[in-house]
């Protein structure tokens, strides 16, 4: 059973930094549950406001529905009391509904709803997708706006009125005008989460729009640095934010931008560079080259 009501989950998520753990795989690409559990337990005690199991950084797209359930249950067993655990739902609407129901049975506190698989859809269709998931569970639901599911402000407003357990909006687009319109229409009705790759690069300007939190992939392997960065953002310490951007985040992004899918691959590589290997990424992702890994390792060692 969930520890938190939907509104409480939203409040907690908006109060601090969010962790998106990688999913550990063995060399044969099977799920390494013991290593995953140990990592979730470690991250959960580092001072985060929420843990998102099997999210994008956790390679949701490469997991079977059965594996998603297994990952969520493993995370639920290790997540400390008081830290909300958010599970994924996605693919087609029927599959997303099944995932949401299973997440509730597994003990998750909320749902991160990914875009429907592949197909393009009008706003009415996207709204129906969200409503179906919200109606299938008592958990708080956060929509992830990105790719083929970019929710317009009018759609989000209608959904917020129709679905009391729609509690969050995660932005993976970076359209500042759209985010401003959504925030203007809904105010504090939702918790707003920055969800662009390496969200630290957008954290300070997004804070000015009321986006108080973001998904930190780098928290997996440099947690103290990530928490320090978040603290500087919330304090609006622009000099410290710029120092950390110049010293680590932007050089990290330069490596990340060299290959498609590197937004996830580089996090697994960062785990290895920090002495906490999480195994390989699953296809269709590819690993960093040896030269890129050496460059990343040198960067990680600067902030340890």
């Amino acid at each position: 059973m969930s520890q938190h009501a939907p509104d409480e989950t939203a409040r907690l998520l908006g109060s601090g930094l969010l962790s998106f753990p990688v999913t550990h795989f063995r060399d044969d690409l099977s799920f390494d549950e013991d290593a995953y559990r140990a990592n979730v337990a470690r991250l959960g005690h580092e001072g985060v406001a929420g843990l998102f199991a099997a999210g994008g950084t956790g390679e949701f797209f490469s997991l079977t529905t059965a594996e998603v359930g297994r990952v969520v249950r493993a995370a639920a067993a290790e997540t400390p009391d008081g830290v909300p655990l958010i599970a994924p739902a996605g693919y087609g609407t029927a599959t997303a509904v099944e995932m949401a129901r299973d997440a509730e049975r597994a003990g998750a506190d909320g749902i991160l709803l990914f875009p429907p698989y592949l197909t393009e859809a009008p706003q009415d269709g996207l709204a129906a997708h969200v409503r179906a998931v919200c109606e299938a569970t008592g958990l708080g639901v956060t929509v992830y706006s990105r790719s083929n599911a970019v929710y317009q402000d009018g759609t989000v407003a209608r959904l917020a009125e129709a679905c009391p357990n729609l509690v969050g909006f995660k932005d993976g687009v970076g359209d500042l005008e759209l985010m401003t319109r959504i925030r203007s229409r809904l105010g504090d009705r939702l918790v707003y989460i920055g969800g662009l790759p390496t969200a630290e690069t957008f954290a300070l300007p997004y804070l000015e729009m009321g986006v108080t939190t973001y998904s930190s992939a780098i928290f997996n392997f440099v947690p103290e640095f990530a928490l320090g960065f978040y603290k500087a953002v919330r304090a609006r310490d622009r000099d410290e934010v710029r120092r950390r951007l110049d010293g680590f985040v932007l050089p990290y992004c330069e490596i990340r931008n060299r290959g498609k899918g590197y937004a996830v691959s580089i996090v697994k590589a960062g785990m290895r560079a920090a002495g906490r290997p999480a195994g390989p990424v699953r296809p269709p992702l590819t690993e960093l080259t040896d030269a890129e890994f050496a460059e990343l390792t040198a960067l990680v060692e600067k902030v340890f």
Side-chain angles (χ1 to χ4, degrees), residues 11 52 55 99 104 106 108 120 131 133 145 151 162 169 180 183 189 200 217 220 236 239 253 259 272 294 303:
R11 184 190 68 78
F52 286 66
M99 285 184 167
E104 190 165 2
E120 303 293 332
R131 283 197 303 270
V133 172
S145 182
Y151 297 89
F169 182 89
T180 300
R183 186 69 175 79
R189 168 64 180 81
E200 281 81 1
N220 274 279
R236 291 179 168 82
D239 290 341
C253 290
R272 181 157 59 101
V303 298

Side-chain angles (χ1 to χ4, degrees), residues 185-253:
R185 290 188 70 154
L186 285 112
D188 294 330
R189 168 64 180 81
L190 302 176
V191 61
Y192 303 94
I193 300 172
L196 290 155
T198 317
E200 281 81 1
T201 55
F202 300 87
L204 197 55
Y206 265 45
L207 181 63
E208 300 302 324
M209 295 189 295
V211 182
T212 60
T213 188
Y214 53 85
S215 57
S216 178
I218 65 173
F219 182 80
N220 274 279
F221 58 95
V222 284
E224 291 185 2
F225 176 89
L227 286 168
F229 190 100
Y230 179 76
K231 181 180 179 180
V233 168
R234 291 302 299 266
R236 291 179 168 82
D237 185 344
R238 289 169 173 78
D239 290 341
E240 180 63 11
V241 169
R242 174 56 57 191
R243 186 184 72 79
R244 289 175 180 260
L245 283 171
D246 291 345
F248 181 83
V249 177
L250 293 180
Y252 172 88
C253 290

Side-chain angles (χ1 to χ4, degrees), residues 50-184:
L51 285 164
F52 286 66
T57 304
E59 297 179 72
F60 170 70
F61 44 82
S62 77
L63 299 170
T64 67
T65 53
E67 285 177 323
V68 169
R70 187 179 170 194
V71 170
V72 171
R73 284 168 173 79
E78 302 297 339
T79 300
D81 290 343
V83 178
L85 172 67
I86 312 301
Y91 304 113
T93 302
T95 301
V97 164
E98 289 180 356
M99 285 184 167
R101 289 172 174 161
D102 187 62
E104 190 165 2
R105 291 191 294 268
D109 297 294
I111 301 296
L112 178 62
L113 181 57
F114 282 79
Y117 172 70
L118 191 61
T119 188
E120 303 293 332
Q123 291 293 297
D124 286 349
L126 293 175
H129 178 70
V130 176
R131 283 197 303 270
V133 172
C134 287
E135 291 168 0
T137 178
L139 300 179
V141 176
T142 295
V143 294
Y144 194 178
S145 182
R146 61 172 294 176
S147 303
N148 59 317
V150 178
Y151 297 89
Q152 298 300 311
D153 56 302
T155 304
V156 179
R158 289 191 296 273
L159 284 167
E161 183 176 358
C163 305
N165 62 327
L166 178 66
V167 299
F169 182 89
K170 183 180 180 184
D171 174 53
V173 179
D175 184 335
L176 298 184
E177 180 184 338
L178 177 58
M179 280 298 295
T180 300
R181 291 202 310 266
I182 291 172
R183 186 69 175 79
S184 177

